[in-house]
Amino acid sequence: MFDALKPQPQDRILQLIQMFRDDPRPGKIDLGVGVYKDATGLTPVMRAVRTAGKRLWESETSKTYTGLAGDPAFHAALSGVILGGSVAQDRIAAVATPGGTGAIRQALELIRLASPAARVWLSDPTWPNHPSIIRHLGIPMAWYRYFDAQTRGVDAEGMLADLGQVAAGDVVLLHGCCHNPTGANPTLAQWAAVADLLVARGAVPLIDLAYQGFGDGLEADAAPTRVLAARCPEVLIAASCSKTFGIYRERTGLLIGIGTSAQRGLIQENLAFLNRQNYSFPPDHGARLVTLILEDPALTAIWAQELEEIRLNMLGLRQSLAEELRRLTGSDRWGFIAGHRGMFSVLGATGAEVARLRDERGIYMVSDSRINIAGLNAATVPVLARAIADIVA
């Protein structure tokens, strides 16, 4: 049987991680892997998470299963942060998932179960796991324009033109904030136009919300999702707690399905069914930590302040890099870095230039020149800026 297996393409991020580990140079810089790092290069445990972990350790009396959908208290707490009362509770179904990737996978499974002929539309570019999972599931796929390579911003006109071609029942995958990989985001007015277009076309938004709080703040980053959820009759939201709470290894996610109040029970039943087929009961430890934090006003305040510190640190790094590049090149070409939001930006370097940055300067980034801003610190910003100024045409 196993002889019939075919070699699978290597994940370019995992391959890059291994290359970085194997590099003996002491001054190497990792801008590839998509995790937040502090100034020392570590991904810290947030103070609120550590406190919640101690409370859980002292109070937990059982390790028995939760329900198939996970803990309803987790659903309520996290969906409240995301939706903020923009949707009536009797329209919301939800299940806990193993991370945001698990939520995306379950959303796509639900789409395939409900409407096998539906196409899923993806932004060009998008997170590589999106098309990979869609192809694996055999779901029809299409692309819409998103990023303007000249301005390094959103191609709003091209985006709306392409989404004007979606058919009724198609699904449009949208990044709720902090677009990965580009870091370029539509304005709220552009988001409203997208929502109106999807309603007119009868399409369903699938929102990947992995970075709430990393862009312009918790409320501002949730605003596009709330606009879509309030205006569209059917919505799917795949939310991740990995970045927002810094609990990457806990694999904590939530899939929200929004329909009419009459549809809610059926959506919930099918979401639970899919959990049962894929992994039965979802992991609970990370979800329990998130619930403890969000149900305690004092812990919520600590967490929100920590998240704001992370956000401001990344904005500061963006501004410093853009200013240093302006100083070195005498050009405003790199100003888009300061204007982007979240962990990522795409520099616009060629594959050959990315290879030179790695080989000659020990600077590691994904082949499309996506960099993780959080991989920088005050000492490495000038190093990167000098390398870009010397190598990127």
Side-chain angles (χ1 to χ4, degrees):
M1 178 182 71
F2 295 144
D3 288 340
L5 291 174
K6 298 178 180 178
Q8 299 298 323
Q10 285 191 305
D11 185 289
R12 60 181 182 174
I13 301 293
L14 298 181
Q15 189 177 20
L16 195 67
I17 291 172
Q18 190 58 51
M19 291 173 65
F20 179 81
R21 288 173 177 169
D22 293 342
D23 189 334
R25 287 175 289 184
K28 60 185 180 180
I29 301 173
D30 179 13
L31 303 179
V33 63
V35 298
Y36 177 78
K37 299 177 184 179
D38 62 17
T40 68
L42 296 177
T43 302
V45 178
M46 296 175 83
R47 297 187 299 277
V49 170
R50 191 177 296 280
T51 301
K54 289 179 180 178
R55 289 186 187 176
L56 182 59
W57 169 257
E58 293 169 353
S59 63
E60 194 171 44
T61 58
S62 176
K63 289 291 187 181
T64 191
Y65 296 120
T66 59
L68 282 177
D71 184 3
F74 171 62
H75 305 169
L78 189 58
S79 64
V81 171
I82 295 167
L83 294 170
S86 59
V87 177
Q89 286 295 317
D90 64 0
R91 294 182 57 206
I92 301 172
V95 289
T97 62
T101 303
I104 289 289
R105 173 62 182 259
Q106 295 297 71
L108 293 168
E109 294 268 18
L110 184 69
I111 292 163
R112 187 172 64 169
L113 194 64
S115 181
R119 284 188 299 177
V120 177
W121 292 70
L122 302 175
S123 67
D124 184 12
T126 193
W127 182 46
N129 246 17
H130 289 152
S132 178
I133 297 172
I134 291 169
R135 291 190 187 103
H136 178 69
L137 292 174
I139 296 173
M141 184 174 63
W143 297 88
Y144 61 88
R145 281 171 286 176
Y146 183 84
F147 190 58
D148 187 322
Q150 296 300 315
T151 67
R152 318 306 293 172
V154 175
D155 179 4
E157 184 176 339
M159 179 182 184
L160 291 171
D162 288 349
L163 292 182
Q165 306 303 310
V166 301
D170 279 356
V171 176
V172 178
L173 201 158
L174 301 158
H175 299 233
C177 65
C178 304
H179 185 271
N180 179 5
T182 69
N185 301 295
T187 66
L188 200 55
Q190 290 167 344
W191 276 115
V194 169
D196 289 344
L197 188 151
L198 297 185
V199 171
R201 302 294 301 180
V204 178
L206 165 55
I207 304 165
D208 186 349
L209 190 63
Y211 303 97
Q212 185 181 354
F214 270 38
D216 291 309
L218 275 169
E219 292 297 303
D221 289 349
T225 297
R226 294 174 185 177
V227 166
L228 288 157
R231 298 191 186 192
C232 298
E234 297 181 349
V235 181
L236 290 166
I237 303 168
S240 170
C241 296
S242 295
K243 280 79 176 177
T244 304
F245 290 86
I247 51 175
Y248 300 83
R249 66 176 61 172
E250 303 295 353
R251 308 312 300 134
T252 306
L254 184 70
L255 175 59
I256 299 172
I258 301 172
T260 65
S261 57
Q263 292 173 321
R264 180 187 178 278
L266 189 60
I267 299 170
Q268 187 67 55
E269 178 183 321
N270 277 269
L271 290 176
F273 168 80
L274 289 172
N275 269 17
R276 181 61 168 168
Q277 306 315 303
N278 284 315
Y279 43 77
S280 266
F281 302 92
D284 181 66
H285 185 77
R288 195 74 55 174
L289 296 177
V290 170
T291 305
L292 285 170
I293 291 169
L294 296 180
E295 287 184 342
D296 183 318
L299 278 184
T300 300
I302 294 170
W303 164 69
Q305 179 58 41
E306 291 180 273
L307 190 58
E308 183 68 0
E309 291 168 3
I310 289 170
R311 184 182 77 87
L312 293 176
N313 177 53
M314 287 189 292
L315 286 180
L317 290 169
R318 286 185 173 280
Q319 190 65 40
S320 296
L321 180 57
E323 289 176 355
E324 183 66 8
L325 282 164
R326 184 180 296 110
R327 185 185 71 81
L328 291 173
T329 66
S331 167
D332 289 328
R333 171 188 173 186
W334 306 101
F336 66 85
I337 294 173
H340 287 170
R341 291 294 182 268
M343 291 172 63
F344 305 116
S345 281
V346 175
L347 294 179
T350 66
E353 289 168 341
V354 169
R356 285 188 62 196
L357 287 166
R358 180 183 66 243
D359 298 341
E360 298 176 17
R361 307 295 177 95
I363 297 170
Y364 285 75
M365 63 186 69
V366 184
S367 58
D368 64 0
S369 75
R370 186 200 79 171
I371 62 170
N372 175 15
I373 293 293
L376 293 168
N377 57 45
T380 56
V381 163
V383 176
L384 175 62
R386 169 51 64 188
I388 292 172
D390 290 347
I391 292 175
V392 179

